[in-house]
Amino acid sequence: THFINILNIKAMKELVEKINAAWSVFAENADKQLAGNKAAGARARKASLEIEKALKEFRKVSIEAGK
């Protein structure tokens, strides 16, 4: 059980890093889209999908860690 929790904690840390990186890409491109850069809008939408996927995975791992 302790070993599983260590793996879950490592997975959660990696997911948080992934979420933070994707959020940075999203925020940068969302700002560019607001300034009129249409291509940045596509990049922001792509980043938002990556964030959504990573958040769902984080939730799954977090629930497992709490058991």
Side-chain angles (χ1 to χ4, degrees), residues 21-40:
W23 184 262
S24 294
V25 170
F26 168 78
E28 178 182 346
N29 285 294
D31 287 342
K32 287 180 181 179
Q33 181 184 18
L34 292 173
N37 183 334
K38 290 183 182 180

Side-chain angles (χ1 to χ4, degrees), residues 1-64:
T1 304
H2 182 34
F3 181 70
I4 293 172
N5 283 339
I6 291 171
L7 290 177
N8 285 340
I9 290 170
K10 183 178 180 191
M12 288 191 312
K13 285 181 181 182
E14 290 173 0
L15 285 166
V16 168
E17 290 173 9
K18 183 177 181 179
I19 292 164
N20 286 335
W23 184 262
S24 294
V25 170
F26 168 78
E28 178 182 346
N29 285 294
D31 287 342
K32 287 180 181 179
Q33 181 184 18
L34 292 173
N37 183 334
K38 290 183 182 180
R43 292 189 298 270
R45 289 189 296 276
K46 181 180 176 187
S48 73
L49 293 174
E50 291 174 7
I51 293 166
E52 180 183 25
K53 183 179 176 182
L55 286 170
K56 286 180 181 180
E57 183 64 23
F58 179 85
R59 182 177 185 274
K60 179 181 165 185
V61 172
S62 178
I63 289 170
E64 281 297 315

